[in-house]
Amino acid sequence: LLERSTRHMALTPAGQVLFREAADAMNRLDRACARAAQAAQGLSGTVMVGYSTFAANGPMSDIIIAFRRRYPSARVGLRLLASPEQATAIEDGTLDLGFMMSNVPTNSALRMPISRERLIALVPSDHAFATSKSIPLRRLTSVPIVIGTEVRWRGFRLLVDNMMRSAGLSLTIVEEADDLPVLLQFVRSGFGCSILDASFVATLPPGIRALEIEDTTETLDIVLACQQSHASPLVSHFLTEARSHVQLLAAGVQIAAD
């Protein structure tokens, strides 16, 4: 490895290769140890998060952005799943956390309240109801209704069914859709009216009017569910960030978003 003389010492070609490779190996080892220490402290790694269609317009995105800013070495993997699918995925460990509807049963040890939204009626802009700002629940029984499917929208369908049953009413459902864009297109085209939660009002396309439903107290509640008993340090940090964000919202603090 070395060429020696009484006046000179230098690396041989073999020594030069070993020096370069060993230095690179030591640098990689140092980086690996640093990353392992970060992961152990919950400063890096991946959190797998599920979310339903109804959680997408709530505080979820702000919570994730705040978490990423605080823990820039962490990654958030997102999966769009119906609330019952999230419950199963959390139980089998496929997901760490899930933003889901509160009326869907889970075995999760933690269910943190995130948001609460009133229900609204959607009608085509040229519909006879569109000149009003609100509508009695019973009037929805007189028009055709388009709504999400029992499979993909099960939690929401349970919520709507409970609202109607409590009032002694029933809807005339003429069409079902798996996807929200398809459902909204049905409404725009005049195929029927629909029911959603108020978080969607700001994102409704032209051609659809949102009306308050006058005589119901039913709300759509989103919770953040987690098996906290075996949560990683990183998941615990995510929960802390979510709790802090919700507390600020409850206190009426305006949270700036870039």
Side-chain angles (χ1 to χ4, degrees):
L1 299 179
L2 298 172
E3 292 178 343
R4 301 171 183 268
S5 71
T6 57
R7 298 181 179 180
H8 175 75
M9 183 173 67
L11 291 170
T12 65
Q16 292 173 2
V17 171
L18 180 61
F19 177 78
R20 289 195 301 269
E21 295 294 330
D24 185 53
M26 292 304 296
N27 287 334
R28 290 200 303 270
L29 180 60
D30 287 342
R31 289 196 298 270
C33 289
R35 289 171 181 169
Q38 282 190 327
Q41 298 171 43
L43 302 178
S44 67
T46 299
V47 179
M48 292 303 301
V49 178
Y51 69 100
S52 70
T53 298
F54 297 97
N57 289 325
M60 180 190 76
S61 58
D62 290 335
I63 291 170
I64 292 172
I65 290 169
F67 172 76
R68 287 298 311 275
R69 285 175 176 165
R70 188 175 295 273
Y71 302 98
S73 296
R75 178 178 174 273
V76 178
L78 292 171
R79 292 184 62 193
L80 175 60
L81 296 170
S83 293
E85 293 174 324
Q86 289 185 58
T88 300
I90 291 172
E91 189 172 343
D92 65 24
T94 308
L95 288 180
D96 295 308
L97 303 142
F99 289 89
M100 60 170 52
M101 290 182 60
S102 66
N103 66 331
V104 173
T106 69
N107 292 324
S108 300
L110 175 73
R111 289 165 62 89
M112 182 191 303
I114 295 295
S115 63
R116 170 169 290 178
E117 297 286 351
R118 66 194 185 281
L119 297 185
I120 56 170
L122 302 182
V123 302
S125 295
D126 58 357
H127 195 277
F129 293 166
T131 56
S132 303
K133 292 184 178 180
S134 62
I135 184 174
L137 187 59
R138 66 180 181 278
R139 296 198 71 183
L140 289 175
T141 65
S142 65
V143 294
I145 297 292
V146 295
I147 200 166
T149 62
E150 289 275 9
V151 175
R152 296 294 300 165
W153 293 47
R154 191 170 80 189
F156 186 72
R157 291 289 294 267
L158 289 172
L159 188 69
V160 171
D161 289 348
N162 182 67
M163 176 178 68
M164 301 306 295
R165 186 169 51 252
S166 297
L169 302 171
S170 60
L171 298 171
T172 302
I173 296 174
V174 296
E175 189 59 83
E176 299 178 336
D178 267 351
D179 299 320
L180 182 62
V182 175
L183 179 68
L184 295 178
Q185 186 57 41
F186 279 148
V187 177
R188 288 182 65 187
S189 65
F191 200 75
C193 301
S194 191
I195 298 172
L196 275 182
D197 76 77
S199 70
F200 290 95
V201 171
T203 61
L204 289 176
I208 298 178
R209 283 267 295 158
L211 310 179
E212 298 285 343
I213 301 176
E214 296 171 2
D215 44 357
T216 182
T217 58
E218 201 74 54
T219 59
L220 189 151
D221 299 347
I222 296 296
V223 297
L224 180 58
C226 172
Q227 292 286 10
Q228 197 174 18
S229 58
H230 53 266
S232 69
L234 191 60
V235 170
S236 296
H237 290 325
F238 190 99
L239 292 171
T240 298
E241 201 65 41
R243 188 175 292 109
S244 174
H245 191 91
V246 171
Q247 288 172 349
L248 289 174
L249 290 177
V253 176
Q254 185 68 35
I255 301 172
D258 291 339

